Amino acid sequence: MKGVSTEVIIFSLLAIAIVVLAIFFLSGRLGPGSTQLTKEECRNKVLSACSSYRITGTNNAFKNIPTTCADILGISNNFRNCISPSGTLQYDPCKVVCDEIEGIRSE
């Protein structure tokens, strides 16, 4: 009695792998949409960073937030100035970011 051929086994494994990858792509856990955060997730990340900023006075917590979040929330300029401040600014960009984000309603 001869066993299952190698070609059939390879084809079966390949078909299973394609199905698994398709499931991951369709669920959003893999591919270009997997790192896209929602507006609410971004808002929560920035609010958490603001809490840390108010306690410590450092902008370290903001550096862990993707800049795409700032784009989604519409606070790009002040956010970029907050994570890499310029010595010529006459205001505190991190404080402005926090004030702006607290004005954005939760959806």
Side-chain angles (χ1 to χ4, degrees):
M1 182 170 170
K2 194 174 180 183
V4 179
S5 72
T6 307
E7 291 85 14
V8 171
I9 293 172
I10 291 172
F11 179 75
S12 299
L13 290 175
L14 186 61
I16 291 170
I18 290 171
V19 168
V20 169
L21 284 174
I23 290 170
F24 277 116
F25 272 110
L26 293 175
S27 69
R29 294 186 181 160
L30 190 67
S34 63
T35 57
Q36 183 72 16
L37 296 171
T38 66
K39 185 175 183 178
E40 187 64 24
E41 290 170 325
C42 287
R43 182 178 183 276
N44 289 336
K45 284 184 173 289
V46 175
L47 284 173
S48 176
C50 286
S51 295
S52 175
Y53 171 72
R54 288 190 174 113
I55 292 169
T56 64
T58 64
N59 66 347
N60 293 336
F62 290 102
K63 293 179 180 178
N64 295 327
I65 300 172
T67 54
T68 54
C69 273
D71 297 335
I72 290 169
L73 294 168
I75 56 171
S76 300
N77 291 335
N78 287 319
F79 183 80
R80 285 185 178 83
N81 287 332
C82 174
I83 58 175
S84 52
S86 166
T88 61
L89 293 175
Q90 300 296 319
Y91 65 98
D92 182 353
C94 295
K95 182 182 182 313
V96 173
V97 165
C98 293
D99 291 343
E100 286 178 339
I101 200 66
E102 287 166 354
I104 296 174
R105 291 184 311 147
S106 176
E107 293 180 359

